Amino acid sequence: MESPQHAGSSGWSRHPDAHGREKADAEAGAAAALHPDTLSPRPDTDLNFINAPSSNSSMTTKELQEYWKNEKCHCKPVKLLFEISSTRIAKKYSSKYVMYKIIVIQTGSFDSNKAILERRYSDFEVLHKNLLKNFSEEIEDIIFPKKYLTGNFTEEMISERKLAFKEYLSLLYSIKCVRRSREFIDFLTRAELKEAYGCLRAGQYVKALDIFIQVVPLQEKLTRHCPSLVVPSLCAMLVCHRDLEHPAEAFEVGEKVLQLPMHSSHKYYVPFLEAMIHLAYMLGKDFVSLQEKLEESQLQKAPARGITLKELSVREYLH
């Protein structure tokens, strides 16, 4: 470690490894420039690296393997590919329209959680109009497929649109500020999340979980830049499992939330910890560390009116 003296003092000396570290830092910087979506440690998660398990760690071999697997995931370049695999003509009342089946796949390794969703032309149109409000300069060279008065249902036109929408999504994703925007993420996840939360409010927990299981992996891939954005969805899954009287599955989902960076000021923080403490007690698991986090949070701010995790969840995606 370098001497703590100021660089301007006569007693300051250069560490013999300093040049090597500077070179490594420069190479790392160059790599980051080449791969803008490579996930580097965030300021709020640097402690995970400082507190990496030592050779004297009490973690089991399986736990160590899982730890390093997760750490490697933080450093892999994340890239998504979009395919329009098929189409179908749908009818609603007196109108008909084309539904485009979109498949989203993560590159770099086998993706067992590829996302499959359907969107119609008007959905793409709304996305483009919303993006123009905030990213008009960034997307000024991206051409949106035109709509015609006639011929929209011919096989030739549908095939042309399939290719055009595939390219459109790929081009949007290539722009960092756009792929991280709420507009882009909502286009790919909002319809499914809204349906899932609607099922949760109706007490249809099995159906809600089926939808969450499909959409949450995609939400996670789209929000790697801000992982806490997926906290509400995971908490909703916890609520569904718990109300189905599956406490072990609920606790397992909660453990995923614990791995995410969530500040104590987050509106889900206290209700989530309270739910996890109750589950841990039911399952005979250690809840002391969870209780300590909760008490520490309550010391930092005045206690607010108690609100449960379920009460929070049912308020999501009302509009």
Side-chain angles (χ1 to χ4, degrees):
M1 184 177 291
E2 292 179 358
S3 168
Q5 297 179 51
H6 295 293
S9 67
S10 58
W12 183 84
S13 61
R14 188 186 183 97
H15 191 285
D17 289 336
H19 176 71
R21 286 202 301 272
E22 289 172 3
K23 183 179 179 182
D25 290 345
E27 290 173 352
L34 287 171
H35 301 286
D37 256 17
T38 296
L39 298 175
S40 56
R42 297 176 299 275
D44 53 0
T45 56
D46 279 349
L47 288 176
N48 291 335
F49 290 82
I50 295 171
N51 296 324
S54 67
S55 58
N56 296 322
S57 172
S58 60
M59 295 171 74
T60 65
T61 302
K62 184 178 179 181
E63 288 171 337
L64 282 168
Q65 288 174 342
E66 188 64 27
Y67 175 88
W68 290 117
K69 179 182 175 183
N70 291 335
E71 290 307 316
K72 286 179 181 177
C73 288
H74 284 304
C75 303
K76 282 184 179 178
V78 177
K79 186 177 181 182
L80 300 181
L81 294 180
F82 299 87
E83 294 284 344
I84 310 292
S85 63
S86 61
T87 60
R88 64 181 178 90
I89 296 177
K91 292 184 179 181
K92 188 175 183 180
Y93 306 119
S94 59
S95 63
K96 66 177 184 177
Y97 48 88
V98 179
M99 294 296 294
Y100 297 87
K101 181 180 284 187
I102 306 168
I103 298 180
V104 188
I105 305 172
Q106 181 175 309
T107 64
S109 60
F110 176 71
D111 189 358
S112 59
N113 283 319
K114 65 180 180 182
I116 301 174
L117 52 140
E118 284 190 320
R119 296 293 183 267
R120 56 188 289 189
Y121 182 93
S122 59
D123 295 323
F124 283 94
E125 196 172 34
V126 169
L127 167 65
H128 195 68
K129 287 179 179 177
N130 288 338
L131 288 174
L132 283 172
K133 294 175 184 177
N134 297 315
F135 307 101
S136 57
E137 291 184 10
E138 289 83 355
I139 67 170
E140 62 182 354
D141 295 326
I142 297 178
I143 299 173
F144 186 78
K146 291 181 180 180
K147 193 170 187 177
Y148 299 96
L149 293 175
T150 59
N152 289 300
F153 300 99
T154 64
E155 186 176 337
E156 182 182 0
M157 177 57 70
I158 291 173
S159 296
E160 184 181 314
R161 286 255 177 87
K162 276 176 61 179
L163 293 172
F165 280 137
K166 174 188 174 180
E167 183 180 8
Y168 175 72
L169 290 174
S170 298
L171 288 172
L172 290 180
Y173 184 77
S174 69
I175 305 171
K176 186 175 182 179
C177 60
V178 172
R179 68 171 170 265
R180 293 183 171 186
S181 68
R182 178 165 187 167
E183 293 84 354
F184 187 74
I185 295 171
D186 276 356
F187 170 77
L188 293 167
T189 61
R190 184 175 178 81
E192 288 72 20
L193 287 172
K194 189 173 182 178
E195 183 182 1
Y197 278 102
C199 291
L200 188 159
R201 281 188 286 273
Q204 300 173 356
Y205 303 123
V206 173
K207 187 177 180 181
L209 277 172
D210 286 342
I211 301 170
F212 277 124
I213 288 169
Q214 293 296 319
V215 70
V216 168
L218 175 59
Q219 191 183 21
E220 288 173 330
K221 292 168 188 172
L222 292 166
T223 59
R224 293 284 181 92
H225 61 287
C226 187
S228 61
L229 290 174
V230 81
V231 166
S233 299
L234 290 174
C235 286
M237 292 178 70
L238 184 157
V239 168
C240 289
H241 280 302
R242 186 192 63 190
D243 285 14
L244 285 169
E245 298 184 358
H246 299 155
E249 289 84 349
F251 192 82
E252 185 178 348
V253 174
E255 288 182 313
K256 292 182 179 179
V257 178
L258 289 172
Q259 295 173 12
L260 300 175
M262 179 167 54
H263 194 270
S264 59
S265 61
H266 196 292
K267 68 178 182 179
Y268 273 82
Y269 190 81
V270 169
F272 164 72
L273 285 177
E274 290 174 340
M276 284 294 284
I277 290 168
H278 180 67
L279 287 169
Y281 182 78
M282 284 178 62
L283 296 167
K285 294 182 178 289
D286 177 27
F287 58 86
V288 175
S289 60
L290 295 170
Q291 187 70 47
E292 288 174 349
K293 286 183 179 181
L294 179 61
E295 290 172 357
E296 183 182 350
S297 170
Q298 291 171 337
L299 286 173
Q300 292 174 0
K301 58 181 180 181
R305 184 190 72 82
I307 184 169
T308 67
L309 197 61
K310 186 172 183 177
E311 287 174 330
L312 269 181
S313 294
V314 297
R315 295 178 185 180
E316 298 284 350
Y317 290 87
L318 284 170
H319 306 290

